[in-house]
Amino acid sequence: MSTILAFAGSNSSTSINHQLVTYLTSQLTESSFELFKLSDMDLIVYSEDEQRDNGFPSSINQIYKHIQSSKGLLISVNEHNGNPSAFFKNVLDWLSRLDRKFLEGKKVFLLSTSNGARGGMSSLEVVKNMLPRFGAEVIDTYSLASFKENFSVEETKITNDEIKNEILQKLHQFEASLK
């Protein structure tokens, strides 16, 4: 059974991207998973001076170990002003300094969501183009638009059947790619 590391690229305690990832892990049928919450990480902004003077934060070493022990990653990225959040970019900066190819051999199903009509699509595209530089194989992407209208936080599920069927089909194809 393949292990999937699932997380959102957000440091918000109420992240809708984390809610989406949490729901999708409950729908995995062929894989075990580990749900990681990046918002629990305590990170200083990356700089060469910080790395030289203090080394790598323990939280970066921790997420790196989790990535290395997984077969695939389920990542949902948030969007700030059309780009990934500074927090998520900082995580990637630290990881890429620890090991430039920290995603080598890893398959990724990349997601995004927002309350807007584009569902974080701009951020999704930026990250989709960035991750292969670190060795990732992006298997598929999905942008869930209008989160509040298509997801029930109380029931922790996608409420629009057409959207649910489409994203679950992609999820199961991702799982199959890990075999």
Side-chain angles (χ1 to χ4, degrees), residues 24-38:
L24 289 176
T25 58
S26 74
Q27 302 302 305
L28 293 168
T29 58
E30 302 291 323
S31 305
S32 61
F33 68 90
E34 181 177 4
L35 187 59
F36 197 86
K37 199 161 188 183
L38 290 183

Side-chain angles (χ1 to χ4, degrees), residues 115-178:
N115 289 314
R118 291 181 35 85
M121 198 178 297
S122 295
S123 176
L124 181 75
E125 282 300 311
V126 169
V127 176
K128 176 185 170 188
N129 292 327
M130 187 184 305
L131 294 185
R133 296 179 191 160
F134 307 126
E137 178 186 353
V138 178
I139 299 298
D140 211 340
T141 65
Y142 193 85
S143 175
L144 175 63
S146 306
F147 182 83
K148 285 182 184 177
E149 293 152 25
N150 292 308
F151 193 95
S152 169
V153 173
E154 295 79 25
E155 298 176 70
T156 318
K157 70 176 189 176
I158 296 173
T159 55
N160 179 308
D161 286 337
E162 184 178 331
I163 290 171
K164 180 173 72 176
N165 292 338
E166 184 178 2
I167 197 168
L168 290 180
Q169 179 181 12
K170 288 176 176 270
L171 178 69
H172 298 310
Q173 288 172 344
F174 170 65
E175 273 190 290
S177 77
L178 299 175

Side-chain angles (χ1 to χ4, degrees), residues 16-169:
I16 60 177
N17 282 279
H18 185 75
Q19 292 174 46
L20 177 61
V21 165
T22 300
Y23 165 71
L24 289 176
T25 58
S26 74
Q27 302 302 305
L28 293 168
T29 58
E30 302 291 323
S31 305
S32 61
F33 68 90
E34 181 177 4
L35 187 59
F36 197 86
K37 199 161 188 183
L38 290 183
S39 62
D40 292 341
M41 295 175 71
D42 185 25
L43 279 181
I44 191 163
V45 173
Y46 177 80
S47 76
E48 288 181 6
D49 295 338
E50 180 64 29
Q51 180 187 340
R52 180 191 62 242
D53 295 345
N54 299 308
F56 290 94
S58 62
S59 55
I60 288 299
N61 288 313
Q62 181 184 11
I63 187 73
Y64 178 77
K65 288 177 186 172
H66 289 281
I67 289 170
Q68 297 311 302
S69 65
S70 69
K71 179 92 174 182
L73 288 86
L74 181 63
I75 304 171
S76 190
V77 294
N78 57 337
E79 183 172 280
H80 292 172
N81 299 316
N83 284 293
S85 67
F87 173 78
F88 186 59
K89 175 68 170 68
N90 189 46
V91 170
L92 294 177
D93 289 343
W94 275 109
L95 286 167
S96 68
R97 292 297 294 200
L98 183 63
D99 177 359
R100 178 70 180 166
K101 292 293 186 177
F102 69 95
L103 293 173
E104 190 72 43
K106 304 300 175 190
K107 295 182 178 185
V108 177
F109 181 23
L110 190 58
L111 309 151
S112 66
T113 191
S114 76
N115 289 314
R118 291 181 35 85
M121 198 178 297
S122 295
S123 176
L124 181 75
E125 282 300 311
V126 169
V127 176
K128 176 185 170 188
N129 292 327
M130 187 184 305
L131 294 185
R133 296 179 191 160
F134 307 126
E137 178 186 353
V138 178
I139 299 298
D140 211 340
T141 65
Y142 193 85
S143 175
L144 175 63
S146 306
F147 182 83
K148 285 182 184 177
E149 293 152 25
N150 292 308
F151 193 95
S152 169
V153 173
E154 295 79 25
E155 298 176 70
T156 318
K157 70 176 189 176
I158 296 173
T159 55
N160 179 308
D161 286 337
E162 184 178 331
I163 290 171
K164 180 173 72 176
N165 292 338
E166 184 178 2
I167 197 168
L168 290 180
Q169 179 181 12

